[in-house]
Amino acid sequence: MSLLPTYFFRAFAVVLMLLTSGQANEAKTNETKLKVYLLGTGGPEFTPNRLGYATLVEANGQKLLFDTGRGVTQRLYESRVNPKEVTQIFFTHLHSDHIDGLPTLWMTPWFLLGRQQPLEVWGPAGTTEMVQGMRAMFGHDLKHRVNEFNPPGGLNVAVHEIRDGVVYQRDGVRVTAFIVQHGDGNPAFGYRIDYAGHAVVLSGDTTYNDNVVRQGQGADLIVHNVIAFSDRLTRLPEMQGVLAKLTTPQQAAEVFVKAHPRLAVFSHIVTKELPTGEEGDKIILERTRKAGYNGPLQMGQDRMVIEIGNQVVVVPPQPTEHLPALDSKDSTF
Ligand SMILES: [Zn+2]
């Protein structure tokens, strides 16, 4: 056989493969019921590629944001979500690394992008006081930036201080808050989001907790926090307090084995004395596997998207270099 036909056959096969995968992707996109954006997957630490914790869940046209860690507004923009469209925000707890992105999300889309909608926030006792404090901090803008182009209505913030139970129900989308244990971060909640027979569970910041297992039973996706130190630090007595507030890979394995989600993803990834990037990720995955969890598992990355329908599809972060600027009321992607 000459080389020519083989070459043509190969080229043809590649084109076919692309077409098939293109069609498959389209089918998957069409059936998406819940879309989960991992906007920020870090804790409070500075690392080169993880910003503060924030997760956006999109269901039936509603955009529900869970926590507002450092950089959340930038990550929304990079994820092609116009920050002015995100007005419903749920807080797991009031530690600074979960709320410190709120001021930018509140203020900048209002004066720059023309947001007219007020914010609506849900959070534990103390959320009202936190919002009042934010308003005080931005006293200058409240006094001098309000004008006919930027009416004050878009700066209103309606606060719901919540207990566990169903905290939100609109057009078939339900959000349930459940209690978790986060030491000096208490009161702390995890959340379950239900829509069209599908469910996403966010552990929030917590150590191993049976409520996550209960709520996570049969969920499509569990987004779970994780803390992983070097062996040296793990053994140090003074580190036990920090380790006890979050979930080790071994404890997470126990949650996943018991709850059996279609996919488990780590976010709010806290490490010390571990390499950053892929090398560190590998260590966390290995520890989870070694502890007995063999199901679908993924390290979260900032701007990763998970589409949930008949299938659960992980979409890797998209490049951002050629994104147009969002710099005025009229700008779009
Ligand atoms: Zn945290």
Side-chain angles (χ1 to χ4, degrees), residues 43-44 93 95 97-98 182 205 268:
H93 64 299
H95 266 160
D97 55 310
H98 295 252
H182 187 42
D205 279 14
H268 195 283

Side-chain angles (χ1 to χ4, degrees), residues 42-47 50-52 70 97 229 268-272:
E45 297 74 19
F46 295 99
T47 62
R50 298 190 194 283
L51 293 184
R70 182 174 76 236
D97 55 310
F229 290 174
H268 195 283
I269 296 154
V270 172
T271 63
K272 276 190 209 309

Side-chain angles (χ1 to χ4, degrees), residues 80-262:
R80 281 78 168 165
V81 178
N82 191 322
K84 76 174 172 185
E85 291 171 5
V86 177
T87 57
Q88 297 176 299
I89 304 161
F90 299 78
F91 291 106
T92 58
H93 64 299
L94 297 177
H95 266 160
S96 58
D97 55 310
H98 295 252
I99 63 172
D100 58 10
L102 180 64
T104 310
L105 184 59
W106 173 55
M107 184 56 70
T108 312
W110 167 73
F111 79 79
L112 189 75
L113 305 175
R115 188 192 64 226
Q116 308 267 326
Q117 256 61 53
L119 297 190
E120 193 171 3
V121 308
W122 291 257
T127 304
T128 306
E129 210 179 332
M130 181 269 283
V131 168
Q132 281 166 352
M134 180 178 73
R135 296 189 76 89
M137 177 182 170
F138 284 77
H140 181 93
D141 282 64
L142 292 180
K143 221 172 179 175
H144 301 290
R145 237 176 186 157
V146 175
N147 54 43
E148 57 180 306
F149 303 108
N150 293 307
L155 286 176
N156 289 340
V157 184
V159 180
H160 309 270
E161 293 199 347
I162 60 166
R163 293 194 193 160
D164 57 325
V166 175
V167 295
Y168 175 97
Q169 205 148 17
R170 222 165 277 178
D171 299 330
V173 181
R174 187 173 70 236
V175 179
T176 308
F178 55 92
I179 302 218
V180 293
Q181 292 303 325
H182 187 42
D184 60 11
N186 290 339
F189 294 107
Y191 287 101
R192 175 177 166 122
I193 303 97
D194 282 275
Y195 176 62
H198 293 278
V200 173
V201 169
L202 311 176
S203 73
D205 279 14
T206 183
T207 184
Y208 170 90
N209 194 280
D210 274 330
N211 285 343
V212 182
V213 174
R214 233 187 318 273
Q215 296 290 337
Q217 288 296 330
D220 293 83
L221 172 68
I222 295 180
V223 178
H224 211 293
N225 84 77
V226 69
I227 185 165
F229 290 174
S230 65
D231 292 338
R232 186 190 77 83
L233 283 180
T234 306
R235 282 192 296 266
L236 285 185
E238 56 266 41
M239 286 294 153
Q240 300 315 306
V242 187
L243 287 165
K245 287 196 290 183
L246 292 165
T247 302
T248 63
Q250 292 80 358
Q251 291 171 320
E254 194 181 338
V255 173
F256 302 151
V257 165
K258 288 177 176 169
H260 215 272
R262 290 172 79 195

